[in-house]
């Protein structure tokens, strides 16, 4: 019962403020005659009729597919390379200057370069998303691995753990809180880069559609697309938090035990 009450309270805090803002905007913009700022009701009608209609399969689903592929690619490369760099001092010393150089390059700048090598299709957009989402995951993975308790590593070596067992049983669990912090940061970056990549030489997608609607002065539909992006980000954040709570339940329990 206590668990259900705690969950209900948490859910109320999550949806409470967005609901209050939505109601305030609904009544605040009711009857708006401003061409560039239509009422919330008009925007919601456009969202239901346009974005949840024909555009759902033409633009929304392709964007989500690219987002998933780019984010997963960044996660695999970031965690894998981060563990390697974090465990090996020589590798870290060799790669650190190169990684710092590429980290400083804004991912949108790479769009023209990636168009030259990968064309204007899905591959280019996936690479743009991965190139930006990679760095928070990589850097947090490196720091998480470096922060593993040396006593735990020495104990595992004394018990003659294999490299794979050491990685699976000691390193990754200890570094997982910081790895998930990087994954959380990367998710918002991936959504931003998904939109940016679709604004360049694209034929579909959320970013492409919103720009085309703005150019054709379909203002309610444009605002509806922006609202849809916000809703997607919100839903993905909730799903990520759900997964994180399940995976890191042991870590949160340990912290509560330490505080008590």
């Amino acid at each position: 019962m206590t668990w259900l009450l705690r969950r209900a309270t948490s859910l109320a805090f999550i949806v409470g403020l967005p609901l209050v803002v939505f109601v305030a905007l609904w009544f605040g913009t009711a009857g708006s005659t401003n061409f560039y700022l239509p009422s919330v009701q008009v925007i919601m009608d456009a969202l239901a009729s346009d974005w949840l209609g024909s555009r759902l399969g033409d633009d929304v689903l392709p964007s989500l597919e690219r987002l998933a592929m780019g984010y997963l690619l960044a996660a695999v490369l970031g965690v894998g390379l981060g563990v390697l760099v974090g465990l090996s001092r020589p590798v870290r010393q060799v790669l650190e200057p190169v990684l710092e150089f590429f980290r400083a390059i804004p991912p949108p700048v790479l769009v023209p370069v990636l168009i030259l090598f990968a064309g204007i299709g899905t591959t280019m957009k996936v690479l743009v998303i991965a190139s930006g989402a990679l760095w928070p995951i990589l850097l947090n993975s490196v720091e998480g691995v470096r922060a593993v308790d040396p006593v735990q590593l020495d104990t595992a070596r004394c018990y003659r753990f294999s490299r794979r067992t050491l990685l699976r049983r000691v390193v990754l669990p200890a570094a997982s809180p910081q790895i998930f912090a990087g994954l959380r940061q990367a998710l918002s970056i991936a959504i931003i880069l998904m939109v940016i990549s679709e604004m360049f030489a694209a034929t579909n997608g959320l970013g492409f559609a919103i720009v085309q609607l703005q150019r054709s002065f379909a203002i309610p539909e444009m605002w509806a697309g922006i609202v849809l992006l916000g809703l997607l980000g919100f839903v993905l954040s909730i799903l990520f938090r759900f997964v994180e709570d399940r995976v890191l339940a042991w870590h949160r329990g340990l912290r509560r035990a330490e505080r008590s």
Side-chain angles (χ1 to χ4, degrees):
M1 192 67 179
T2 305
W3 180 85
L4 289 176
L5 180 61
R6 187 165 60 247
R7 285 296 178 184
T9 304
S10 176
L11 182 62
F13 278 112
I14 291 173
V15 302
L17 181 58
L19 184 60
V20 170
V21 172
F22 177 80
V23 172
L25 288 175
W26 180 280
F27 288 103
T29 61
S32 173
T33 57
N34 189 327
F35 178 76
Y36 299 104
L37 188 62
S39 67
V40 173
Q41 182 177 357
V42 173
I43 294 174
M44 291 297 104
D45 290 340
L47 177 64
S49 62
D50 191 55
W51 286 99
L52 300 183
S54 60
R55 291 190 185 276
L56 181 63
D58 296 338
D59 295 306
V60 179
L61 294 182
S63 292
L64 292 177
E65 182 181 0
R66 294 164 190 149
L67 175 66
M69 290 191 294
Y71 183 74
L72 289 175
L73 178 61
V76 171
L77 291 177
V79 174
L81 188 57
V83 171
L84 175 64
V85 174
L87 286 176
S88 175
R89 182 184 297 271
V91 173
R92 185 164 61 250
Q93 291 175 339
V94 171
L95 291 183
E96 193 170 26
V98 178
L99 294 178
E100 289 296 329
F101 172 79
F102 282 106
R103 183 177 71 89
I105 299 176
V109 176
L110 298 176
V111 173
V113 178
L114 292 175
I115 289 176
L116 292 176
F117 290 99
I120 62 173
T122 298
T123 302
M124 179 272 291
K125 298 170 179 60
V126 170
L127 290 176
V128 170
I129 295 169
S131 66
L134 171 68
W135 301 108
I137 303 173
L138 172 60
L139 297 178
N140 277 277
S141 298
V142 171
E143 294 305 317
V145 172
R146 291 183 63 187
V148 175
D149 189 351
V151 175
Q152 293 182 352
L153 294 175
D154 292 339
T155 303
R157 293 189 181 103
C158 289
Y159 280 98
R160 301 184 182 276
F161 279 16
S162 66
R163 183 175 292 273
R164 178 179 297 181
T165 304
L166 177 68
L167 182 64
R168 185 164 54 92
R169 296 293 188 182
V170 179
V171 175
L172 286 179
S176 57
Q178 199 147 351
I179 291 174
F180 267 88
L183 290 169
R184 190 186 312 112
Q185 296 171 17
L187 181 59
S188 59
I189 294 174
I191 295 173
I192 294 170
L193 292 175
M194 175 195 73
V195 177
I196 292 176
S197 67
E198 292 172 347
M199 291 181 174
F200 294 89
T203 57
N204 63 0
L206 276 161
F208 168 79
I210 290 173
V211 171
Q212 293 302 310
L213 291 169
Q214 181 265 333
R215 291 174 178 173
S216 60
F217 292 96
I219 303 302
E221 289 77 10
M222 180 198 72
W223 278 110
I226 295 172
V227 170
L228 180 59
L229 275 173
L231 291 174
L232 287 175
F234 178 75
V235 171
L236 291 175
S237 176
I238 295 298
L239 291 175
F240 184 90
R241 182 178 297 181
F242 176 81
V243 174
E244 184 181 26
D245 287 343
R246 294 299 179 274
V247 176
L248 298 182
W250 65 271
H251 176 67
R252 303 185 191 282
L254 180 62
R255 291 180 60 184
R256 285 194 295 268
E258 290 175 349
R259 286 196 295 267
S260 60

